[in-house]
């Protein structure tokens, strides 16, 4: 969080609300939030404190991952 205000990174949309996929809870200036995605797709997110702050995370499968089996 490079801002001076506290924020959240909450999956979902301001109009639909949180969808439960991920939520940073409130995090202060100078701190970070990490999340690991196991499934490719697009994930909407917003700040619950500032609902006009929105974004989308796009997760793609790693090249060569499909159809390969290690072992």
């Amino acid at each position: 969080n490079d801002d001076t205000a506290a924020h959240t990174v909450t999956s979902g949309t301001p109009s639909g609300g949180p969808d439960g996929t991920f939520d940073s809870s409130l995090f202060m200036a100078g701190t970070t939030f990490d999340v690991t995605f196991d499934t490719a797709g697009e994930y909407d997110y917003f700040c619950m404190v500032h609902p006009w702050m929105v974004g989308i995370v796009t997760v793609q499968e790693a090249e060569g991952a499909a159809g390969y089996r290690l072992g």
Side-chain angles (χ1 to χ4, degrees):
N1 181 0
D2 292 334
D3 199 359
T4 58
H7 295 283
T8 74
V9 179
T10 305
S11 62
T13 63
S15 61
D19 67 14
T21 304
F22 59 88
D23 184 20
S24 66
S25 298
L26 196 63
F27 69 109
M28 307 309 283
T31 60
T32 62
F33 167 69
D34 296 310
V35 62
T36 300
F37 297 90
D38 295 324
T39 305
E42 290 192 343
Y43 300 86
D44 294 313
Y45 69 92
F46 69 106
C47 176
M48 291 186 66
V49 180
H50 310 99
W52 60 90
M53 299 177 80
V54 298
I56 298 173
V57 175
T58 301
V59 178
Q60 298 177 331
E61 286 187 31
E63 282 189 45
Y68 290 93
R69 183 176 161 189
L70 302 175

